[in-house]
Amino acid sequence: MRMNNPQLDADGRLKHLLSIEGLPKKILNQILDTAESFVGVAEREVKKVPLLRGKTVCNLFFENSTRTRTTFEIAAKRLSADVISLNVNASSQSKGETILDTINNLIAMHADMFVVRHAQSGAAHFIAQHVPAHIHVINAGDGRHSHPTQGLLDVFTIRKYKPDLHNLRVAIVGDILHSRVARSEIHALTTLGVPEIRVIAPKTLLPTQVEKLGVHVYHDINVGLKDVDVVMMLRLQNERMNGAMLPSVQEYFKTYGLTQERLALAKPDAIVMHPGPMNRGVEIDSSVADGRQSVILPQVTYGIAIRMAVMAILAGGQAGGAQ
Ligand code: CP
């Protein structure tokens, strides 16, 4: 019996992108392969394809963002969509309007797609449950829960530098407990067959029973980084910590910060990733962030192709990608 998956239609096609969890490998590969065809669009003189011409994409960011908001906007424009980025602070939400009333008003203006970031876990799911069938919802990060396009762009970046996913050792380091990015990365890497995922963090920054996600737990970074192919650093999410979980940021850097000496424990060709925003001198040393093994800025660039792919697939126009 097929379980009801709110992200897929009756034919198993992507209807909304709400989380990586529950998405079949076929859909993840469809997004990654479609994104490949969009990478080259950025190198054209006219950086546009007509796949979303006549469609209206609404960016609804109820929480701060630099990379995700901007790259979604660029991606939608490169697909020739009309893009509205609602200024939430200046919208009727600040006058007490419910999120569904805001959404219904935008639907009355013929919006076709919503890109939603919200501090509450489940916000994008909630909206997806209430929109008519022809409207698509993309989760751009909800609370601690999920950040699916970040997980996808991270896997896309890894695939670019390390094409054989079935032969990789990946370490995710830092504040796993509060990180929607870590959760999405773990689900994406697991579904795509990465054999060894390590999480490296103090006990206070790990979810209970994190092993159930299929990861190996390390508390000592000097042990956990040994011979890994990919080092993914995470930001300390101070805004999500309820009370003191760490002695100090200086102490955290001393114990878990990625320095050149620690990076030397990984494989010599290991890549260093970070989803941003990055706190230099807290989770990562500047010399590593800007060093030769860092692929932090390519992650941002590939985020555009991934977001183009997701929107094109949702709109039913991925075939041939960048024609
Ligand atoms: N990685 C990420 O979500 O960054 P922003 O908060 O800047 O969008």
Side-chain angles (χ1 to χ4, degrees), residues 167-188:
N167 197 18
L168 283 187
R169 203 174 278 140
V170 177
I172 306 176
V173 187
D175 186 358
I176 316 281
L177 177 65
H178 301 98
S179 177
R180 56 195 176 207
V181 174
R183 251 169 283 277
S184 293
E185 282 168 348
I186 291 167
H187 286 300

Side-chain angles (χ1 to χ4, degrees), residues 41-78:
V41 174
E43 282 140 33
R44 295 182 187 176
E45 200 177 319
V46 179
K47 301 181 183 65
K48 268 195 193 296
V49 289
L51 288 169
L52 261 67
R53 193 164 55 197
K55 303 280 184 196
T56 301
V57 175
C58 283
N59 268 340
L60 303 176
F61 279 66
F62 298 97
E63 195 191 57
N64 294 339
S65 168
T66 302
R67 282 145 288 268
T68 312
R69 180 178 174 146
T70 314
T71 52
F72 261 115
E73 191 164 328
I74 292 170
K77 286 179 174 168
R78 289 199 180 154

Side-chain angles (χ1 to χ4, degrees), residues 283-303:
E283 65 263 0
I284 189 165
D285 189 71
S286 269
S287 67
V288 177
D290 304 327
R292 69 172 176 84
Q293 288 166 271
S294 170
V295 297
I296 293 170
L297 291 177
Q299 283 177 266
V300 178
T301 306
Y302 292 139

Side-chain angles (χ1 to χ4, degrees), residues 64-314:
N64 294 339
S65 168
T66 302
R67 282 145 288 268
T68 312
R69 180 178 174 146
T70 314
T71 52
F72 261 115
E73 191 164 328
I74 292 170
K77 286 179 174 168
R78 289 199 180 154
L79 292 168
S80 307
D82 296 318
V83 186
I84 308 295
S85 289
L86 197 77
N87 182 351
V88 172
N89 290 332
S91 77
S92 298
Q93 286 263 306
S94 62
K95 299 176 187 166
E97 184 171 80
T98 68
I99 193 163
L100 281 186
D101 280 332
T102 301
I103 294 288
N104 285 333
N105 276 274
L106 294 166
I107 292 171
M109 299 173 207
H110 302 291
D112 296 290
M113 209 176 276
F114 291 107
V115 178
V116 182
R117 169 169 290 192
H118 205 288
Q120 291 293 325
S121 296
H125 283 75
F126 176 72
I127 293 168
Q129 279 169 349
H130 288 88
V131 295
H134 67 280
I135 297 203
H136 308 286
V137 178
I138 303 172
N139 182 3
D142 63 326
R144 296 184 191 187
H145 171 241
S146 187
H147 194 347
T149 54
Q150 182 71 45
L152 285 161
L153 76 87
D154 289 341
V155 175
F156 187 82
T157 307
I158 293 174
R159 223 174 61 155
K160 281 283 183 195
Y161 291 88
K162 310 275 173 193
D164 185 7
L165 295 184
H166 294 97
N167 197 18
L168 283 187
R169 203 174 278 140
V170 177
I172 306 176
V173 187
D175 186 358
I176 316 281
L177 177 65
H178 301 98
S179 177
R180 56 195 176 207
V181 174
R183 251 169 283 277
S184 293
E185 282 168 348
I186 291 167
H187 286 300
L189 292 167
T190 307
T191 305
L192 292 168
V194 171
E196 188 174 342
I197 305 166
R198 301 177 178 182
V199 293
I200 305 174
K203 281 197 181 84
T204 48
L205 293 180
L206 281 169
T208 49
Q209 302 193 306
V210 66
E211 300 86 351
K212 288 199 169 162
L213 295 175
V215 298
H216 303 266
V217 175
Y218 291 80
H219 300 300
D220 184 343
I221 189 170
N222 298 311
V223 179
L225 286 183
K226 197 149 174 31
D227 295 329
V228 299
D229 301 279
V230 178
V231 185
M232 288 185 175
M233 299 307 295
L234 297 173
R235 181 175 68 89
L236 269 190
Q237 311 233 339
N238 286 315
E239 74 277 18
R240 295 206 167 90
M241 294 196 194
N242 304 315
M245 292 197 176
L246 296 166
S248 69
V249 288
Q250 291 83 0
E251 187 66 23
Y252 181 80
F253 183 71
K254 223 163 90 186
T255 322
Y256 286 99
L258 187 63
T259 58
Q260 293 286 1
E261 294 71 34
R262 285 187 172 139
L263 181 57
L265 299 165
K267 287 190 182 164
D269 62 348
I271 56 170
V272 175
M273 305 175 69
H274 194 305
M278 183 163 61
N279 286 323
R280 292 169 184 262
V282 178
E283 65 263 0
I284 189 165
D285 189 71
S286 269
S287 67
V288 177
D290 304 327
R292 69 172 176 84
Q293 288 166 271
S294 170
V295 297
I296 293 170
L297 291 177
Q299 283 177 266
V300 178
T301 306
Y302 292 139
I304 298 172
I306 281 290
R307 287 164 180 140
M308 287 174 79
V310 170
M311 288 192 273
I313 290 168
L314 288 173

